[in-house]
């Protein structure tokens, strides 16, 4: 069974008529890193939001199976507990809520939904401190409010920290490279690579080949006008970088 | 998304009627005849065996009250109150001056136990470190049923009793201070209270004493059609310190019940009073039926130099809240603080804030107010900061933040600032924000349910104020806020 199987997914913004995803088909296997590339407005972020269950979108047709189960009827928190993680393109600030409080609430909410007891605090602290160190997240950052006053790079590293703590089955990285300098990019990529495993799949959404130099994809999909129009190996990303999207998009149309 | 839509519907269906303390206790009560008249005032005074001067004081207030008009400047809306259609005195029959807990009706003890307020000192002592002990005055409808740890407090000279008892045992103190901060002529509800107040707590901390434990009063309205008019008087003599907590609940009833209390605090030179309230009166149902009208006058007088009074309130209950705990900064270098969290949901209406009256030199005040509105509720902060001519170098910092949940509620901020001295420095900051869909989605994507996400975001919003509460109550207050906001999303 595939880890993620999207069949004929059609979706639009809830309060608009225009379809953004137009019968999208995509399969991600366990252990696979699938890159999704595409021009602006092709539906990349919509895909990540629809999979994670954001309310502003309405699915008009199709299904998305995570481990064989259609997740489109589940609330966002239920999808999260089933192992779906979205690293946000623009991580959200929550003033007054300490990082530790937030991380602990997330870890325990998922544990409870999966029938586990809350993680004991000492164990949790050890876990967070260990992962934070690997990602170059300072103790000071852990004491601040969630994403408040974080630089762009810090916010992205914070997303990866959350991913590392929650150990999802499927991680969707929505333009995680945007706004990162090369050093931050390497740290983020190392964090992702460290989590690659035969049971876990990644969907890496990006505009640019650059990120894929550090996170080597197994497969590259090109998204255009709400549909996957081409699939290939890592070379496809290089080709796109060299020629631009117009060529491929033009051929498909 | 259909799934999310369904969740929202479900959450909506759990309306706000989840009030945990809505049970009532079936107990035989002694009620004064319904309605209000001079005879009722005399009746209450007689029931309490009061000295003649107290009766005169009450009658004065009553006559004055007859000439006054109900205030209508607050941003709250409710039908005319029929003051003749309620009882002004209700006492458990079996409670004729109990000498010990064993003489108290077990039904009352059971009530407080259910509310999580143990009254038996042995039960409190079991497993509680001495520094975490709390002495409680339990007020049931119109009377104080018991005050715990009195003997132990007496050892350090602290007087903690019901005000009725204090009238007999320390009449000179009561006479000296009662009405000295909130005069009988103060306002409609305070004047009414002066005429018919039935009980409340009395605290006196002698000079130089740091009260060895937290003091608290737990108010419970049980009887139907009964108003609760309690009066609390706290005096901190020179160089003393006391921390006091007030809690309140009431059964769920379809009718509206009136709670018009008066609290007076007096801090002498170098004394400090910290007064915390967790107000959880029955708020009415989601349609606005029933609930308590909480019309309360609370005022602290920083009478002495370098004295300090600090109000902290967590307001989650009541159908209508009309309440402005204030500080008169009379002593030079005195300080006043007001930390408030006011949560409104369903059809609740809150008009609350504070007054900081700077009279002395170098007086300082600080106001942190966090209003959270959900459902169809209306939440108003109303505050006055003023500096008298003499109040040179007066300083105030005010921060009013409002958080809106959903699209049907309202938040309003009405600050009044008056300064008659050029050297005063008053700062005012205010923000209004909404719990954003982005924040909700972010939290839920990490596994938190809708309710958990709201609670987390709101608790972040009120953190600065929660930190002011005594440690033991911080967690309680956090939970209470979460419960009050259940069903607020949708």
């Amino acid at each position: 069974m595939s880890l993620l199987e999207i069949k004929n997914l059609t979706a639009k913004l809830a309060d608009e008529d225009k379809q953004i995803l137009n019968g999208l088909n995509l399969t991600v296997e366990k252990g696979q890193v699938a890159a999704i590339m595409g021009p602006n407005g092709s539906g990349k972020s919509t895909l990540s939001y629809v999979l994670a269950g954001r309310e502003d979108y309405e699915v008009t047709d199709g299904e998305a199976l995570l481990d064989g189960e259609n997740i489109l009827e589940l609330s966002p928190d239920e999808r999260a507990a089933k192992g779906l993680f979205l690293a946000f393109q623009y991580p959200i600030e929550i003033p007054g809520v300490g990082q530790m409080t937030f991380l602990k609430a997330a870890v325990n909410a998922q544990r409870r939904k999966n029938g586990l007891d809350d993680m004991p605090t000492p164990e949790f602290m050890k876990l967070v401190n260990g992962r934070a160190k690997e990602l170059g997240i300072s103790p000071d950052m852990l004491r601040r409010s969630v994403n408040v006053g974080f630089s762009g790079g810090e916010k992205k590293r914070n997303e990866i920290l959350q991913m590392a703590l929650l150990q999802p089955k499927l991680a969707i990285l929505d333009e995680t490279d945007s706004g990162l300098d090369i050093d931050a990019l390497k740290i983020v990529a190392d964090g992702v690579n460290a989590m690659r495993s035969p049971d876990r799949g990644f969907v890496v959404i990006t505009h640019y080949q650059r990120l894929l130099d550090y996170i080597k994809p197994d497969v590259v999909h090109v998204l255009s006008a709400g549909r996957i129009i081409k699939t290939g190996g890592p070379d496809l990303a290089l080709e796109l970088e060299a020629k631009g999207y117009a060529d491929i998009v033009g051929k498909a149309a | 998304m259909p799934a999310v839509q369904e969740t929202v519907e479900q959450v909506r269906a759990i309306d706000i009627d989840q009030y945990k303390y809505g049970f009532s206790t079936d107990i035989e009560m002694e009620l004064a005849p319904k309605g209000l008249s001079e005879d009722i005032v005399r009746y209450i005074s007689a029931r309490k065996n009061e000295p003649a001067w107290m009766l005169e004081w009450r009658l004065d207030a009553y006559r004055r009250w007859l000439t006054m008009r109900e205030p209508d400047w607050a941003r709250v809306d409710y039908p005319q109150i029929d003051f003749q259609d309620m009882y002004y005195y209700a006492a458990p029959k079996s409670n004729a001056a109990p000498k010990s807990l064993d003489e108290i009706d077990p039904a009352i003890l059971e009530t407080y136990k259910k509310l999580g307020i143990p009254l038996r000192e042995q039960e409190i002592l079991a497993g509680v470190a001495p520094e975490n002990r709390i002495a409680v005055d339990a007020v049931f409808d119109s009377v104080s049923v018991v005050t715990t740890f009195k003997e132990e407090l007496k050892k350090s000279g602290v007087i903690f009793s019901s005000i009725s008892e204090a009238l007999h045992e320390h009449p000179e103190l009561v006479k000296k201070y009662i009405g000295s901060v909130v005069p009988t002529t103060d306002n409609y509800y305070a004047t009414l209270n002066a005429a018919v107040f039935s009980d409340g707590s009395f605290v006196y901390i002698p000079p130089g004493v740091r009260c060895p434990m937290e003091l608290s009063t737990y108010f419970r309205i049980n009887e139907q059609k009964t108003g609760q008019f309690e009066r609390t008087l706290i005096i901190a003599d020179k160089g003393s310190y006391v921390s006091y907590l007030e809690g309140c609940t009431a059964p769920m009833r379809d009718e509206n019940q009136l709670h018009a209390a008066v609290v007076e605090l007096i801090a002498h030179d170098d004394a400090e009073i910290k007064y915390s309230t967790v107000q959880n009166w029955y708020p009415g149902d989601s349609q606005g039926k029933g609930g308590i009208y909480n019309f309360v006058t609370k005022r602290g007088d920083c009478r002495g130099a370098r004295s300090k009074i600090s109000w902290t309130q967590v307001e989650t209950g009541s159908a209508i809240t009309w309440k402005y705990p204030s500080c008169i900064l009379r002593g030079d270098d005195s300080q006043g603080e007001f930390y408030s969290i006011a949560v409104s949901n369903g059809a609740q209406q809150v008009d609350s804030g504070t007054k900081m009256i700077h009279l002395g030199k170098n007086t300082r005040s600080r106001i942190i107010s966090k209003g959270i509105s959900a459902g169809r509720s209306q939440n108003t902060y109303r505050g006055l900061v003023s500096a008298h001519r003499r109040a040179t170098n007066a300083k105030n910092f005010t921060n009013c933040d409002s958080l809106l949940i959903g699209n049907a509620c309202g938040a309003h901020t009405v600050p009044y600032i008056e300064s008659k001295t050029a050297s005063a420095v008053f700062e005012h900051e205010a923000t209004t924000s909404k719990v954003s869909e982005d924040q909700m989605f972010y939290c839920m994507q990490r596994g938190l349910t809708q309710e958990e996400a709201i609670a987390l975001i709101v608790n972040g919003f009120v953190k600065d104020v929660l930190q002011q509460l005594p440690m033991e109550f911080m967690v309680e207050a956090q939970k209470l806020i979460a419960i009050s906001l259940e069903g607020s999303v949708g």
Side-chain angles (χ1 to χ4, degrees), chain B residues 282-443:
Chain B
Y282 176 53
D285 69 9
S286 56
Q287 300 309 311
K289 197 170 168 54
I292 301 289
Y293 290 166
N294 193 35
F295 299 155
V296 171
T297 306
K298 290 183 169 176
R299 197 171 302 153
D301 188 356
C302 285
R303 209 163 278 183
R306 296 165 307 276
S307 57
K308 180 174 174 185
I309 288 177
S310 172
W311 298 99
T312 304
Q313 60 173 23
V314 177
E315 302 279 319
T316 59
S318 298
I320 298 177
T321 300
W322 179 97
K323 168 179 176 192
Y324 315 89
S326 307
C327 295
I328 300 170
L329 302 166
R330 199 183 303 272
D332 289 346
D333 302 290
S334 61
Q335 281 182 64
E337 291 176 339
F338 175 74
Y339 299 99
S340 169
I341 298 171
V343 183
S344 57
N345 195 359
Q348 281 176 279
Q349 303 175 61
V350 180
D351 194 301
S352 183
T354 184
K355 287 187 275 186
M356 291 291 173
I357 317 281
H358 293 256
L359 302 177
K361 294 188 185 74
N362 306 316
T363 45
R364 278 169 294 159
S365 62
R366 185 178 165 84
I367 299 169
I368 310 282
S369 162
K370 306 274 181 178
I372 299 152
S373 348
R376 290 175 294 122
S377 68
Q378 296 294 330
N379 202 324
T380 304
Y381 168 82
R382 188 182 303 276
L384 167 70
V385 178
S386 78
H388 191 262
R389 272 182 201 85
R390 257 195 82 239
T392 46
N393 299 317
K395 279 193 178 61
N396 165 267
F397 173 76
T398 299
N399 176 292
C400 290
D401 294 332
S402 309
L403 187 69
L404 300 166
I405 301 174
N407 297 321
C409 56
H412 318 273
T413 304
V414 191
Y416 301 80
I417 298 172
E418 295 168 6
S419 175
K420 289 181 180 150
T421 168
S423 60
V425 179
F426 291 169
E427 288 176 70
H428 184 96
E429 287 178 5
T431 66
T432 302
S433 51
K434 260 187 91 167
V435 171
S436 73
E437 283 177 17
D438 284 339
Q439 287 173 330
M440 290 296 292
F441 178 59
Y442 192 64
C443 292

Side-chain angles (χ1 to χ4, degrees), chain B residues 260-275:
Chain B
V262 170
V263 175
E264 296 179 279
L265 312 182
I266 296 119
H268 288 290
D269 289 356
D270 301 293
E272 179 175 352
I273 302 174
K274 194 169 154 64
Y275 192 105

